Amino acid sequence: MESNTISLKNNKKVLTLHSTLVILGIIFVSFNLRAPITSIGPIISLIKGEYLLNNSMAGFITTLPLVAFAVFSPFVSKISHKFGHGLTMFGGLLLIVAGELIRSYTGCFGLFLGTALMGIGIAIGNVLLPSVIKHKFSNNVGIITSVYTTSMCIFAAIGAGVSVPLTTTFGLTWRNSLGIWIILTLITAVVWLPQLRKTEGFSNNDDLATQAQLKGKSIWKSPLAWWVTLFMGTQSLLFYSLVAWLPSIIESKGMSGEFAGSMALLFQLVGLPATLIIPIIADKFKHQKLIASIISAIYLIGMVLLLFAGSEVSIIVSLVFVGLGMGGSISLSIVFISLRTPHAKKAAELSGMAQSAGYLLAALGPLLIGFLFDLTKSWEIPIIIFILAVLLLIYFGIQAGRDEVTHH
């Protein structure tokens, strides 16, 4: 009896240590999913100057990772099912390291090649983390998703915020300013090493029967999966369009470039509380229709205020609402992947689908908005497009928020 008690205690200690290492791995991987992308925008003028790039080519650098997400995401689930999530994620981290090295240190062609490789590596992390959370923490999806999305968004803001100081205050070249993220990715690879002990897939004994029933059914035929995908895609389109064009929109209202830059940072930072709280709240309810409606309504208020804003104060107020809506919708779109699927393997499939189609929309967004501005010479039409997109986000959120799981 005593030996059984000791054995149970030891098992609990091993389980706690294992869970801690997995959570630590999730946090460090999330650090790498946006910062290498957001860090390039503030110093793009230095890169353009060295390589004599035009605006279209420079814009393609920031769009290329999104294209990589869209193209590669559907394949991640199958790769992970074959090699296990531990090894697949580790391979993704190595791709990010290789991409960062090639992007910074191998010339103009390497700039684009490295960015594409980095995008493929990040796509693996994007797709796998929601399914790892579903697999390892099925009873705490909201809390762990909250930790993951908040960590990702914090480092997205840090990535955007440190690039210029690294080149001006610390005197680094743009190459070393971008290359510094290699250190973080290498540390992450070391932190992830304990997950390589098993070539563990997502097939638990508990859900083998369910998987047998679902075998052969394509996630792409599920109406519910499409609602989740449309919600993911619409919020991604809004986010990346605002990242690309918000400073220009603010400057068009007669504000200084410094104010516009600080507002671009505010827009990301103010969303962090919503990114942190929304997954935890969403996980406590059977359906998330009301939550999706409230988040989108806050987003809508901010967009309408931005349309009419003409002073610094009114712009700040509008961006507080926009930032909260943005942060909440990002984290809700990710938690939908876990909540709308019966098990981790299906979560990986839905994650691949939602992020493939979703990031395809996101890649088109900045290009479409830029085209509309060139056509109309006004930022009012693009903001109206944003308002219409948020109205669609409300509808998609209500549909994706139903108390169901996909049966495909």
Side-chain angles (χ1 to χ4, degrees), residues 141-165:
V141 165
I143 293 172
I144 306 300
T145 301
S146 169
V147 170
Y148 150 46
T149 54
T150 304
S151 301
M152 181 177 69
C153 290
I154 287 171
F155 266 73
I158 291 173
V162 302
S163 289
V164 172

Side-chain angles (χ1 to χ4, degrees), residues 125-145:
N126 284 340
V127 172
L128 282 190
L129 281 191
S131 52
V132 170
I133 291 168
K134 178 77 173 180
H135 181 52
K136 296 288 188 179
F137 306 100
S138 58
N139 295 324
N140 296 287
V141 165
I143 293 172
I144 306 300
T145 301

Side-chain angles (χ1 to χ4, degrees), residues 40-102:
I40 199 168
I43 55 173
I44 195 70
S45 59
L46 299 177
I47 299 170
K48 282 169 60 180
E50 180 165 335
Y51 291 138
L52 304 177
L53 303 177
N54 58 33
N55 285 327
S56 296
M57 292 178 72
F60 187 60
I61 295 170
T62 55
T63 305
L64 193 54
L66 306 184
V67 175
F69 297 169
V71 171
F72 196 74
S73 290
F75 303 105
V76 176
S77 173
K78 291 179 180 178
I79 295 169
S80 174
H81 189 54
K82 183 175 181 179
F83 295 104
H85 67 255
L87 189 59
T88 304
M89 187 77 82
F90 190 75
L93 291 170
L94 295 183
L95 279 172
I96 296 173
V97 170
E100 288 169 333
L101 278 167
I102 293 168

Side-chain angles (χ1 to χ4, degrees), residues 318-333:
S318 70
L319 291 181
V320 167
F321 281 94
V322 169
L324 288 171
M326 175 273 297
S329 62
I330 285 175
S331 57
L332 186 59
S333 68

Side-chain angles (χ1 to χ4, degrees), residues 77-404:
S77 173
K78 291 179 180 178
I79 295 169
S80 174
H81 189 54
K82 183 175 181 179
F83 295 104
H85 67 255
L87 189 59
T88 304
M89 187 77 82
F90 190 75
L93 291 170
L94 295 183
L95 279 172
I96 296 173
V97 170
E100 288 169 333
L101 278 167
I102 293 168
R103 177 178 69 168
S104 289
Y105 302 112
T106 61
C108 188
F109 177 74
L111 174 69
F112 291 93
L113 176 62
T115 300
L117 285 175
M118 187 184 73
I120 292 171
I122 292 173
I124 292 172
N126 284 340
V127 172
L128 282 190
L129 281 191
S131 52
V132 170
I133 291 168
K134 178 77 173 180
H135 181 52
K136 296 288 188 179
F137 306 100
S138 58
N139 295 324
N140 296 287
V141 165
I143 293 172
I144 306 300
T145 301
S146 169
V147 170
Y148 150 46
T149 54
T150 304
S151 301
M152 181 177 69
C153 290
I154 287 171
F155 266 73
I158 291 173
V162 302
S163 289
V164 172
L166 284 174
T167 58
T168 55
T169 306
F170 295 94
L172 297 183
T173 64
W174 68 261
R175 297 172 185 278
N176 291 332
S177 174
L178 294 180
I180 203 166
W181 295 104
I182 297 168
I183 299 169
L184 176 63
T185 313
L186 288 172
I187 292 170
T188 303
V190 173
V191 172
W192 190 258
L193 281 175
Q195 309 313 316
L196 301 185
R197 290 175 185 172
K198 301 176 183 178
T199 55
E200 186 177 9
F202 296 125
S203 298
N204 286 341
N205 291 331
D206 295 338
D207 57 41
L208 284 176
T210 306
Q211 291 189 46
Q213 291 173 6
L214 297 174
K215 191 175 181 181
K217 292 186 177 182
S218 171
I219 191 75
W220 293 82
K221 294 180 181 179
S222 166
L224 181 59
W226 275 107
W227 292 125
V228 173
T229 297
L230 287 168
F231 187 85
M232 168 72 81
T234 305
Q235 68 82 20
S236 296
L237 182 148
L238 285 162
F239 173 73
Y240 284 100
S241 296
L242 287 167
V243 166
W245 297 114
L246 185 60
S248 300
I249 291 171
I250 293 171
E251 286 181 35
S252 75
K253 294 178 178 288
M255 306 298 155
S256 68
E258 285 185 5
F259 178 75
S262 64
M263 289 303 97
L265 184 59
L266 173 72
F267 153 71
Q268 294 201 43
L269 292 179
V270 81
L272 291 176
T275 306
L276 179 66
I277 294 167
I278 290 301
I280 299 171
I281 297 174
D283 193 30
K284 294 184 182 297
F285 292 89
K286 288 184 177 180
H287 70 79
Q288 294 75 36
K289 294 188 284 187
L290 181 61
I291 295 169
S293 299
I294 292 171
I295 290 168
S296 302
I298 291 170
Y299 217 152
L300 183 63
I301 291 167
M303 283 299 181
V304 172
L305 288 174
L306 183 61
L307 180 63
F308 297 105
S311 66
E312 289 189 356
V313 173
S314 60
I315 289 171
I316 291 170
V317 171
S318 70
L319 291 181
V320 167
F321 281 94
V322 169
L324 288 171
M326 175 273 297
S329 62
I330 285 175
S331 57
L332 186 59
S333 68
I334 292 171
V335 83
F336 272 157
I337 292 168
S338 294
L339 296 179
R340 297 289 86 89
T341 49
H343 52 76
K345 181 178 181 295
K346 193 57 63 175
E349 291 176 12
L350 177 55
S351 186
M353 173 184 172
Q355 301 201 51
S356 175
Y359 284 118
L360 184 60
L361 269 175
L364 294 174
L367 298 175
L368 173 64
I369 297 303
F371 172 76
L372 285 173
F373 176 75
D374 288 340
L375 198 65
T376 62
K377 303 301 178 187
S378 167
W379 285 111
E380 289 186 1
I381 299 298
I383 296 175
I384 290 170
I385 297 294
F386 291 155
I387 290 170
L388 293 174
V390 176
L391 290 171
L392 287 173
L393 194 69
I394 295 173
Y395 180 69
F396 297 151
I398 290 171
Q399 297 299 322
R402 291 177 295 178
D403 181 23
E404 297 177 15

Side-chain angles (χ1 to χ4, degrees), residues 24-40:
L24 195 62
I26 288 169
I27 291 170
F28 269 82
V29 170
S30 70
F31 290 163
N32 292 269
L33 299 185
R34 292 296 176 274
I37 299 172
T38 58
S39 60
I40 199 168

